[in-house]
Amino acid sequence: MASALFRFGQSTTSVCTWLQLGRLLSTRTRRPNSFSRSRMGSFTQPMPQLHNPFRGDIFLRAILTRLMPREVSQEVFIDLDRFGGRLVDEVDALGKQAELEPPYLRPFNAWGDRVDELVTSPAWKSLHCVSAEEGLIALAYERQHGQWSRLHQVAKLYLFSPSSGLYSCPLAMTDGAARLIEESNNVFLKKRAFCHLTARDPESFWTSGQWMTEKRGGSDVAGGTDTVAYGPDSEGNYSLHGYKWFTSATDANMAFTLARIVTDQGDVTAGSQGLSLFYVETKTEDGQFNDLEIQRLKDKLGTRQLPTAELLLDGTKARLVGEEGRGVSGISPMLTITRQHNSISAAGAMRRIVQLSRDYATRRRAFGKLLVDQHLHMQTLARMEVETRACTVLMLEVARLQGLIETSSVSEQDRTIHRILTPILKLYTAKQAVAVCSEGLESFGGQGYMEDTGLPTYLRDAQVLPIWEGTTNILSLDVLRVMQKYGQEALSSLFEATKSRLSDDSRLAARGLGPTAKTLREHMNSIVVFGQEAMVGDSEQLQNASRDLSFSLAHVFIGGLLIEHACSVESSSADINAAKRWAKRPLSLRLYQQYSKEEQSIDSALVMNGYVPSTSL
């Protein structure tokens, strides 16, 4: 630069003057320091905070207060409040760590030996300890609170599930296994496994799997189970050979599975009559796998914290449970419990996303106002809240009935209601969890789509809930089977229980719920008329209506539960408004003619319109 200036006849002094002038001009044209942050922006989005989820759930507390005797609810509340603090301080972080450190399989060691080592996160192991210490299974079987023990356990699992890093899944199967054993007459299992499944000591606590699904299977276990069993040997053990397509919680200590016993002539019985139930321990006393191999871990949309594998059973030692050929009925107690757990996860996820959305609304400012002051946003959250309350109250009612059954305190009518409500509970809450979690993510805007916020986990994990333990259509057909088995008693029991909740006209009037109860009665009458027409119609038409019928039954029964709570002394104006809004929703059922064979043809034509099948070679 200096040489260029000298060519214009300037001296060294003028060069210095020139540089000073440059600095002066630069200073005058530079923006003030107060704007220097504009390159990154001074605004940061607020992060939603998780507070004690029990203290923040006024609806749960009110329902438990109403359902439980005072001395029981006081003890239960102390436990749930303490546990809510532990969730915030410890457990929620473990669940997030388990999501970030998913399990992986190390099939061979460095020397070529097959080891099938399943490596899980330290957080996953810590969640095992928390589950044992908190008695998340033991609570239901110790029965410290008698018939209310199951309700205590369910409420605690409901708080735990959205923070559990999916450890709620092995707990569901563990609870189902414990209930199966408790109902059985199998002395061996009661001595060998039950004490471990219900232990509070982390070192003694076992989890269980259930290996029902095979490659051809899914929910069709009767037509899709190819696993065979040879035996028994002199010690009463059978040898299992087969391929299990989905085995969630592969790190479990034990499992129940189905197989077909091979006769001396080498034959097996097809269909459900040929299926027998077996108890398997995954490892032998020396810590080696029980003649089974982990073929691979599943690559899933969600539930990434949970090890789900394909297993090859190659001579796996097992014990027959119950009578030969009675395997499908043998797993019934287990499915009843795991379907209830499915609803606990659904309602828990809905409540958590609503709690986080509510907290965020008090922090996030847009268009000059906090979200909590923007009515359209709050209207959306209110709809989520009503749906969450609906699923929660139905879940807790089924838990109450389960407690009565387990303590032999149940009437035959309540037993019938419990049987028809269990599949309804599972199918309804699962579908609504996906919808509410999706809406919840939207309430955070773009941040709801960012994986590092942890929010998308709620939606990804919720999506499995309509699939686990039977899809929505499979559960709808189960509802239909209950109705066909019990006849008119099934619907009449359900409706009588609903009507009893609408019988106090003076209290309904005092709460302004008279018109709401009238609407609900009209909905019931519509279902009765539909049912009378359907029962004399084509059975295939009734199957086609089963899904809408199941959702309509859920709608009516939930309405009765919400009105009952709104009429109680524990209720608030929010409870009254939730019941009113719920009853205004239309039934899912349509005119019976819309399930006819003609409509079937229209459905198929709509779906297959334009489809060109590939040419078979």
Side-chain angles (χ1 to χ4, degrees):
M1 177 180 175
S3 59
L5 291 175
F6 279 126
R7 283 197 295 270
F8 285 101
Q10 295 178 338
S11 67
T12 304
T13 303
S14 63
V15 171
C16 295
T17 303
W18 180 265
L19 292 174
Q20 291 171 353
L21 178 61
R23 293 191 193 99
L24 178 63
L25 291 174
S26 175
T27 302
R28 288 180 178 176
T29 57
R30 187 183 302 153
R31 290 183 177 182
N33 288 335
S34 60
F35 289 95
S36 63
R37 288 182 296 175
S38 65
R39 285 175 288 181
M40 289 295 292
S42 59
F43 175 78
T44 59
Q45 288 210 23
M47 182 171 63
Q49 300 296 314
L50 175 63
H51 306 284
N52 186 317
F54 178 68
R55 294 182 184 178
D57 197 339
I58 189 172
F59 186 68
L60 173 66
R61 299 201 309 274
I63 293 287
L64 294 179
T65 299
R66 179 169 59 82
L67 292 180
M68 291 176 164
R70 181 175 177 80
E71 63 275 12
V72 173
S73 65
Q74 287 178 337
E75 288 187 30
V76 169
F77 278 26
I78 291 172
D79 182 50
L80 296 181
D81 185 64
R82 177 200 54 77
F83 185 54
R86 188 177 186 184
L87 289 173
V88 174
D89 296 338
E90 176 189 356
V91 179
D92 198 61
L94 292 174
K96 288 180 170 60
Q97 184 183 345
E99 165 81 8
L100 296 173
E101 300 172 352
Y104 64 90
L105 178 64
R106 190 170 71 94
F108 299 96
N109 66 14
W111 306 100
D113 297 318
R114 179 136 199 166
V115 292
D116 280 349
E117 182 185 4
L118 179 58
V119 183
T120 57
S121 166
W124 183 258
K125 297 178 178 64
S126 295
L127 289 165
H128 174 91
C129 296
V130 170
S131 300
E133 293 164 357
E134 294 290 345
L136 295 180
I137 302 302
L139 278 171
Y141 298 93
E142 294 169 344
R143 306 223 162 89
Q144 179 183 351
H145 302 303
Q147 68 187 57
W148 313 109
S149 298
R150 177 63 74 172
L151 195 57
H152 179 190
Q153 180 222 27
V154 166
K156 198 166 185 178
L157 285 165
Y158 161 82
L159 297 173
F160 175 70
S161 180
S163 293
S164 71
L166 257 293
Y167 209 80
S168 53
C169 175
L171 292 182
M173 294 183 289
T174 301
D175 199 352
R179 182 60 183 154
L180 186 156
I181 294 172
E182 186 179 52
E183 281 203 357
S184 75
N185 296 318
N186 194 307
V187 177
F188 169 80
L189 288 181
K190 288 185 176 181
K191 289 183 177 180
R192 174 64 180 170
F194 186 77
C195 59
H196 288 293
L197 297 173
T198 58
R200 284 181 177 262
D201 177 10
E203 294 297 321
S204 300
F205 179 52
W206 281 9
T207 56
S208 177
Q210 55 186 54
W211 304 344
M212 306 300 169
T213 307
E214 301 190 11
K215 288 186 176 181
R216 290 194 300 155
S219 296
D220 182 15
V221 294
T225 300
D226 295 324
T227 299
V228 294
Y230 293 93
D233 62 17
S234 59
E235 296 180 353
N237 292 315
Y238 286 77
S239 176
L240 302 187
H241 298 264
Y243 199 95
K244 298 298 181 179
W245 188 236
F246 285 101
T247 61
S248 290
T250 311
D251 60 335
N253 304 83
M254 55 162 282
F256 285 107
T257 190
L258 295 172
R260 302 183 189 278
I261 296 178
V262 181
T263 66
D264 294 338
Q265 292 74 35
D267 300 323
V268 295
T269 303
S272 60
Q273 296 84 359
L275 291 177
S276 298
L277 182 63
F278 290 89
Y279 164 80
V280 176
E281 292 185 13
T282 54
K283 292 188 177 181
T284 57
E285 295 294 339
D286 59 359
Q288 300 300 309
F289 275 108
N290 179 10
D291 291 315
L292 58 86
E293 292 180 358
I294 302 176
Q295 298 301 294
R296 70 176 182 124
L297 293 184
K298 294 290 193 179
D299 187 8
K300 301 166 291 182
L301 167 68
T303 67
R304 297 171 181 173
Q305 317 91 318
L306 174 70
T308 305
E310 295 174 26
L311 288 185
L312 174 64
L313 309 185
D314 190 17
T316 304
K317 289 182 177 60
R319 280 185 173 265
L320 178 66
V321 180
E323 298 178 28
E324 181 177 336
R326 299 279 296 167
V328 174
S329 61
I331 64 175
S332 179
M334 183 163 55
L335 291 179
T336 295
I337 295 297
T338 53
R339 286 174 176 177
Q340 290 177 39
H341 273 261
N342 205 88
S343 74
I344 295 168
S345 294
M350 295 163 72
R351 174 52 66 200
R352 181 61 56 84
I353 203 74
V354 169
Q355 287 178 331
L356 292 175
S357 297
R358 179 176 62 181
D359 181 80
Y360 188 67
T362 67
R363 302 171 186 275
R364 176 73 164 106
R365 186 177 294 275
F367 303 106
K369 293 191 297 185
L370 289 169
L371 295 182
V372 73
D373 296 322
Q374 303 194 25
H375 180 258
L376 183 58
H377 186 77
M378 297 309 290
Q379 179 193 79
T380 303
L381 296 190
R383 291 173 179 172
M384 293 164 57
E385 172 66 27
V386 171
E387 196 65 64
T388 301
R389 288 178 176 227
C391 292
T392 301
V393 75
L394 183 59
M395 172 201 73
L396 292 173
E397 174 62 14
V398 174
R400 183 186 73 84
L401 293 173
Q402 183 70 36
L404 292 176
I405 290 171
E406 292 173 348
T407 54
S408 302
S409 309
V410 69
S411 67
E412 282 306 310
Q413 183 186 57
D414 279 347
R415 191 180 293 276
T416 303
I417 291 172
H418 178 267
R419 178 64 185 88
I420 194 171
L421 276 185
T422 298
I424 289 174
L425 169 72
K426 190 275 180 186
L427 70 87
Y428 186 81
T429 57
K431 294 298 286 187
Q432 300 315 114
V434 177
V436 169
C437 286
S438 177
E439 192 73 73
L441 295 198
E442 192 174 341
S443 74
F444 295 96
Q447 290 301 94
Y449 199 67
M450 299 297 108
E451 285 286 359
D452 54 359
T453 65
L455 294 169
T457 303
Y458 293 105
L459 180 58
R460 286 191 285 100
D461 289 350
Q463 186 59 66
V464 80
L465 297 174
I467 299 171
W468 266 348
E469 308 304 335
T471 62
T472 307
N473 285 350
I474 292 295
L475 271 292
S476 299
L477 294 174
D478 192 17
V479 172
L480 195 59
R481 279 191 290 273
V482 176
M483 292 173 59
Q484 291 169 337
K485 177 179 179 180
Y486 291 93
Q488 190 62 34
E489 181 187 351
L491 278 185
S492 62
S493 296
L494 205 64
F495 287 161
E496 285 302 318
T498 303
K499 288 177 184 177
S500 69
R501 292 175 165 91
L502 311 176
S503 60
D504 193 337
D505 291 333
S506 60
R507 183 162 288 186
L508 288 169
R511 299 292 199 278
L513 289 168
T516 303
K518 180 183 177 182
T519 300
L520 205 61
R521 293 189 191 101
E522 292 171 353
H523 287 333
M524 278 190 285
N525 291 335
S526 297
I527 296 175
V528 169
V529 171
F530 175 86
Q532 290 172 343
E533 293 182 11
M535 288 300 180
V536 298
D538 190 301
S539 61
E540 191 173 353
Q541 287 179 290
L542 192 54
Q543 284 190 11
N544 294 336
S546 63
R547 183 179 175 120
D548 289 344
L549 176 60
S550 298
F551 276 85
S552 295
L553 292 173
H555 170 80
V556 166
F557 195 79
I558 288 169
L561 294 173
L562 290 174
I563 289 176
E564 177 186 39
H565 182 65
C567 287
S568 69
V569 296
E570 293 83 10
S571 69
S572 65
S573 59
D575 298 312
I576 296 170
N577 289 326
K580 288 179 178 179
R581 291 192 176 190
W582 181 263
K584 290 178 181 178
R585 298 153 60 109
L587 286 179
S588 299
L589 280 174
R590 299 168 286 173
L591 294 173
Y592 185 63
Q593 289 74 17
Q594 293 183 286
Y595 303 102
S596 65
K597 289 186 177 180
E598 180 184 357
E599 288 296 315
Q600 292 179 45
S601 299
I602 293 173
D603 290 341
S604 296
L606 280 170
V607 173
M608 304 309 292
N609 184 37
Y611 172 72
V612 180
S614 58
T615 304
S616 300
L617 297 178

